[in-house]
Amino acid sequence: MRFSFIEHKALHTCYCFVFLFLLSFSSSEAYDALDPNGNITIKWDVISWTADGYVAVVTINNFQQYRHISAPGWSLTWAWAGKEVIWNIKGAMTTEQGNCSRLFKGISLPHSCQKNPTLVDLLPNTPYNQKLPNCCKGGVLTSWTQDPTNSVASFQLTVGHSGTTNRTVQVPKNFTFHAPGSGYTCGPAKIVRPTMFISPDKRRVTQAIMTWNVTCTYSHFLAQKSTPTCCVSLSTFYNDTTVPCPTCSCACKHSNSTCVKTDTGKNPSVECSNHMCPISVHWHLNLNKKNYWRVNVTISNLNYRMNYSDWNMVIQHPNFINNLAQVFGLKYKLFTPLDDIHVAMVWGIKFYNNVLIEASNVEFEVLFRKDNNSSLSSLKKDWGFPQGIYFNGDRCVMPPPHAYPWLPNYA
Ligand SMILES: *[C@@H]1O[C@H](CO)[C@@H](O)[C@H](O)[C@H]1NC(C)=O
Ligand SMILES: *[C@@H]1O[C@H](CO)[C@@H](O)[C@H](O)[C@H]1NC(C)=O
Ligand SMILES: *[C@@H]1O[C@H](CO)[C@@H](O)[C@H](O)[C@H]1NC(C)=O
Ligand SMILES: *[C@@H]1O[C@H](CO)[C@@H](O)[C@H](O)[C@H]1NC(C)=O
Ligand SMILES: *[C@@H]1O[C@H](CO)[C@@H](O)[C@H](O)[C@H]1NC(C)=O
Ligand SMILES: *[C@@H]1O[C@H](CO)[C@@H](O)[C@H](O)[C@H]1NC(C)=O
Ligand SMILES: *[C@@H]1O[C@H](CO)[C@@H](O)[C@H](O)[C@H]1NC(C)=O
Ligand SMILES: *[C@@H]1O[C@H](CO)[C@@H](O)[C@H](O)[C@H]1NC(C)=O
Ligand SMILES: *[C@@H]1O[C@H](CO)[C@@H](O)[C@H](O)[C@H]1NC(C)=O
Ligand SMILES: *[C@@H]1O[C@H](CO)[C@@H](O)[C@H](O)[C@H]1NC(C)=O
Ligand SMILES: *[C@@H]1O[C@H](CO)[C@@H](O)[C@H](O)[C@H]1NC(C)=O
C-alpha cells in the first residue's frame, strides 16, 4: 500500500509538472507583450436565407497593432459541418472547385463542392461588377495602426445544402488563417449578437439574421521563423566606435555562402555582410543639443529582390512616454501596451517612403526632450539606446549590452 501511495503521488506530481510546463509553454508562445490583445477576427453575418441555405457576408479584420499581412496575402480554410456547397462567391474565390459530379448532373455547377474549401482574395484588377467593398487587395491587409480602412477584407458567400433557419444552420469548423510566414491559430466559431449595420447617412439601422465570430492569434513559436531577418548597429556622438550588427545575426557568411556583392538578377539576393540580414537598422545617437537628444535612424534593405510595402518598425525605449518630442520623416504612434513597456511604432508616409525599395534606405530622426537629469554626466551607458526593435513584427538582433559604445567617463 505504501509503495503504491508513493507511486501514485509521484505520478501526480509528474502530471502536475507536465501541466505546468504546457501552461507556461502555451502562454509564452501565444502572448505578445507588445500587443496583448492583437488578433484577427473573422465575422460571418448571415444576411438572408435562401431555398437551400443562406447568403453570408464574411469580414476579416486585422486587429493587430503592428503586424500586417503582406503579399502574396492571406488564405482561409475551414471544414463544413455538413454537406454544404458554395454556390457563388463575390470578392474572393476558392482555390479549387472540387468534385461536384456526385451532386449535380448537367445543371450549373457550384463554385466549390469541397469539404474543406480554401479561399483567397481577388486581385486589384478584378472587374468592377465582381467587387465588394474591402475586397480585391490580393490578400494584403495593413496593420490596424497604419491604416484601419485597409486592415479589413470582406467577401460574400451563397451557401447551399445547409440549414435554412437559425436553429438548423451549422457553423463551419476548424478555421485556419494562412499568411506568409504563417503562425496563426484560430479558435472555434462562436455565435454572437447579430451585427447592426448603419446606413452611410446614419438614418437607418439593419441587422444580420445571425452572426458568428472566429478569432485567430499569432504566435512566434508557430511561425517557426528559424532565423531572424533583421539586426541593429549602434553609434554615438561621444565615441567613434560603431558597434556593428552581431556577426551571424541572420546567417553566417561561409566560403560557399549564398550572398551577393551586387544584384545578379538571380537568387540569392541578400548582400554579403557579417550579419547576412536582409534588413539592418542603424541607430546613431546624435549631437547633444540644448533641449533635445537627436537620434538618426537608418533602415537599410539589403535584399536586391524585395520591396517591403507598408513596412513598419516598433521601437521599445523607456523614454518614449515622458521624453519623446517628435519623429521626423515618418508617421508614428506611442503605445504603452503594458505598464513597464513603452514603445513607438513608426511607418512610412504613403507615396513617399511607405515602400522600402530593394537595396535602398529610409532615414528618419527621433527627438527626445531632455529633462534636468539627462545631462551627459548623468547619462547611463544605455540611456540613448532602444531596448528592442522590431521590423514588420520580427525582433531584430541587438548588440549585447556590454558592447555598447562607452561614454567618455564610463568605468
Ligand atoms: C480582438 O481584438 C480587438 C481589438 O483589439 C479586441 O477588442 C477584441 O477583444 C479581441 N478579441 C479577442 C477574442 O481577444
Ligand atoms: C476538425 O479537426 C479535428 C482535429 O484535427 C478533427 O478531428 C475533426 O474531424 C475536424 N472536423 C471537421 C468537420 O473536419
Ligand atoms: C467524383 O465523385 C464521383 C461520385 O462520387 C466519383 O464517381 C468520381 O470518381 C469522382 N471523381 C474524382 C475525380 O474524384
Ligand atoms: C433564432 O431566431 C429566433 C427568432 O428570430 C430568435 O428568437 C432566436 O433567439 C434565434 N436563435 C439564435 C440561436 O440566434
Ligand atoms: C465579433 O467581431 C466583430 C468584429 O468583426 C466585433 O466588432 C464584435 O465585437 C465581435 N463580437 C464578439 C462577441 O466578440
Ligand atoms: C558548402 O558546400 C558543401 C558542398 O556543397 C556542403 O557539403 C557544405 O555543408 C557547405 N557548407 C556550409 C557551411 O554550408
Ligand atoms: C541626421 O539627420 C539630419 C537631418 O536628416 C542630417 O542633417 C544629419 O546630417 C544626420 N546626421 C548624421 C550623423 O547622419
Ligand atoms: C521594387 O520597386 C521598384 C520601384 O518601384 C521597382 O522598379 C522594382 O521592380 C520593384 N521590385 C520588386 C522585386 O518588386
Ligand atoms: C529643470 O530645472 C529648472 C530649474 O532648476 C526648472 O525650472 C524646470 O522646470 C526643470 N525641468 C524639468 C523638466 O524638470
Ligand atoms: C531627477 O532626479 C531626481 C533625483 O535623482 C529625481 O527625484 C527626479 O524625479 C528626476 N526627475 C526626472 C524628471 O526624471
Ligand atoms: C568607445 O566604446 C568602445 C566600446 O564599444 C570602447 O572600447 C572604447 O574605448 C570607447 N572609446 C572611448 C574614447 O571611450
Side-chain angles (χ1 to χ4, degrees):
M1 280 313 271
R2 216 191 130 145
F3 278 123
S4 100
F5 172 70
I6 290 170
E7 240 173 62
H8 193 82
K9 197 169 172 215
L11 204 63
H12 195 83
T13 317
C14 183
Y15 277 132
C16 244
F17 182 76
V18 168
F19 176 71
L20 281 175
F21 175 73
L22 286 177
L23 196 72
S24 63
F25 202 67
S26 60
S27 61
S28 65
E29 71 160 86
Y31 183 70
D32 179 352
L34 297 185
D35 189 9
N37 299 316
N39 65 66
I40 288 182
T41 300
I42 302 160
K43 179 170 65 100
W44 291 52
D45 289 310
V46 176
I47 52 170
S48 61
W49 301 113
T50 62
D52 72 338
Y54 58 89
V55 176
V57 172
V58 180
T59 310
I60 302 176
N61 270 291
N62 181 12
F63 286 133
Q64 299 180 104
Q65 300 283 10
Y66 62 86
R67 198 169 284 285
H68 67 187
I69 309 299
S70 58
W74 56 265
S75 68
L76 183 64
T77 303
W78 63 80
W80 290 116
K83 301 232 176 285
E84 288 87 343
V85 298
I86 301 173
W87 279 113
N88 183 25
I89 306 187
K90 271 184 165 176
M93 64 177 183
T94 62
T95 54
E96 286 178 49
Q97 185 174 34
N99 185 353
C100 293
S101 61
R102 184 169 51 93
L103 297 168
F104 305 92
K105 295 195 171 66
I107 49 172
S108 70
L109 290 178
H111 180 85
S112 163
C113 302
Q114 285 190 299
K115 172 85 176 168
N116 297 280
T118 295
L119 269 78
V120 292
D121 196 4
L122 300 178
L123 299 175
N125 61 6
T126 299
Y128 185 73
N129 61 2
Q130 291 165 36
K131 282 194 177 177
L132 279 184
N134 297 322
C135 86
C136 313
K137 295 181 261 198
V140 171
L141 300 177
T142 61
S143 71
W144 202 26
T145 308
Q146 267 166 282
D147 186 0
T149 57
N150 279 313
S151 68
V152 191
S154 63
F155 53 86
Q156 182 179 307
L157 295 176
T158 307
V159 179
H161 289 232
S162 97
T164 53
T165 69
N166 70 358
R167 277 175 302 277
T168 54
V169 74
Q170 289 182 279
V171 299
K173 298 190 182 341
N174 289 5
F175 279 86
T176 317
F177 184 83
H178 307 271
S182 198
Y184 290 91
T185 35
C186 301
K190 290 202 184 103
I191 294 172
V192 299
R193 277 183 49 172
T195 307
M196 300 289 185
F197 300 103
I198 301 165
S199 68
D201 63 3
K202 299 194 173 60
R203 296 180 64 222
R204 178 174 155 80
V205 175
T206 54
Q207 78 177 73
I209 302 175
M210 192 177 176
T211 299
W212 55 83
N213 275 9
V214 177
T215 304
C216 306
T217 52
Y218 181 85
S219 119
H220 285 281
F221 177 75
L222 281 176
Q224 290 183 326
K225 288 248 168 85
S226 49
T227 54
T229 51
C230 164
C231 65
V232 179
S233 56
L234 305 168
S235 59
T236 67
F237 65 91
Y238 56 71
N239 184 319
D240 291 340
T241 314
T242 292
V243 182
C245 275
T247 303
C248 296
S249 291
C250 300
C252 291
K253 196 171 84 177
H254 293 298
S255 50
N256 49 354
S257 65
T258 54
C259 66
V260 290
K261 295 208 169 54
T262 52
D263 190 10
T264 54
K266 297 193 208 109
N267 295 328
S269 50
V270 173
E271 195 173 293
C272 293
S273 62
N274 72 316
H275 54 77
M276 297 283 282
C277 294
I279 297 289
S280 74
V281 178
H282 185 71
W283 180 278
H284 177 75
L285 182 58
N286 212 342
L287 272 176
N288 176 11
K289 294 274 165 60
K290 187 156 180 272
N291 297 314
Y292 298 99
W293 296 107
R294 191 182 275 269
V295 177
N296 284 41
V297 187
T298 307
I299 309 174
S300 304
N301 177 358
L302 304 175
N303 190 331
Y304 287 103
R305 321 277 294 153
M306 174 87 177
N307 292 337
Y308 293 88
S309 298
D310 289 318
W311 61 272
N312 69 59
M313 200 166 96
V314 174
I315 307 167
Q316 191 184 344
H317 196 293
N319 291 296
F320 275 144
I321 295 305
N322 295 323
N323 299 82
L324 182 76
Q326 215 171 341
V327 175
F328 291 104
L330 293 176
K331 297 198 167 213
Y332 72 101
K333 185 177 174 186
L334 301 181
F335 297 103
T336 305
L338 298 173
D339 286 346
D340 55 344
I341 296 188
H342 295 169
V343 300
M345 173 171 161
V346 298
W347 65 96
I349 297 164
K350 205 160 190 138
F351 306 122
Y352 174 53
N353 54 9
N354 67 319
V355 182
L356 182 49
I357 290 173
E358 50 198 23
S360 76
N361 296 333
V362 168
E363 286 172 25
F364 64 99
E365 281 192 329
V366 182
L367 233 54
F368 288 105
R369 196 179 294 113
K370 274 189 191 175
D371 59 34
N372 287 350
N373 290 353
S374 53
S375 64
L376 190 56
S377 59
S378 63
L379 258 187
K380 289 205 293 292
K381 190 187 177 195
D382 58 357
W383 186 91
F385 301 120
Q387 295 168 330
I389 289 189
Y390 299 76
F391 182 81
N392 280 350
D394 294 330
R395 194 178 167 91
C396 301
V397 180
M398 300 276 299
H402 68 78
Y404 285 9
W406 285 4
L407 283 165
N409 61 347
Y410 186 78

